[in-house]
Amino acid sequence: PDLCDKAGLDVITYNAQTKITVVDPMMGFKIFGGKTAFSGKIATLKCFESNPNVRKAFEEPGNGRVLVVDAGGSTRCAMLGDNIAAAGVKNGWAGIVIYGLIRDSAEIAGMQLGVRALGTFPVKSHKDTPGERDVIVKFGGVTFKPGQYLYADADGIMVSETPLE
């Protein structure tokens, strides 16, 4: 919210004059990781109930980026668990936003990783289809493009074409 204040955003200017979008709060994203606030350049994945590219991405250098995963909002399996999350921490990712579910939430809560997801579910995903990397994904009223900037804190998730800080 402080970024909105610094940018002079209110309900009129944010809707009409900026290249900043805010994820619809009705999506119900919950905070899971040990970092409540996080930000970084966006990398994207589109994958449904199969998470090998989540692991693959988090095993690469993150350089402070945020992984945005369009998992189709599935409530049938988790797309992130503690082992993959630990790889993200080890490799310098700032965080992950999943339009889907996670598991191992108690362990992930103790990690220095920003995590937003719709909820938790104990069943893991399958590994049969990797999905697509670095593609435009859409959910929550926002279009996420690789290279944009994501800002998340306790009040919500914003996306900007350019860095805000």
Side-chain angles (χ1 to χ4, degrees), residues 3-4 6-7 9 20 149 151 158-165:
L3 290 174
C4 289
K6 288 178 188 175
L9 298 180
I20 296 171
Y149 294 84
Y151 299 87
M158 298 184 344
V159 174
S160 173
E161 294 288 331
T162 57
L164 297 178
E165 299 179 287

Side-chain angles (χ1 to χ4, degrees), residues 92-159:
W93 287 83
I96 184 169
V97 175
I98 303 174
Y99 181 42
L101 306 175
I102 71 162
R103 65 189 211 148
D104 304 324
S105 61
E107 293 84 355
I108 290 171
M111 297 181 189
Q112 284 303 300
L113 184 70
V115 179
R116 298 292 185 281
L118 299 178
T120 61
F121 198 71
V123 177
K124 64 182 177 180
S125 75
H126 66 82
K127 314 295 183 226
D128 298 339
T129 53
E132 302 172 88
R133 288 186 71 174
D134 299 317
V135 296
I136 294 172
V137 298
K138 299 177 183 183
F139 57 84
V142 174
T143 299
F144 300 87
K145 300 175 189 170
Q148 289 178 317
Y149 294 84
L150 185 142
Y151 299 87
D153 68 10
D155 294 323
I157 303 167
M158 298 184 344
V159 174

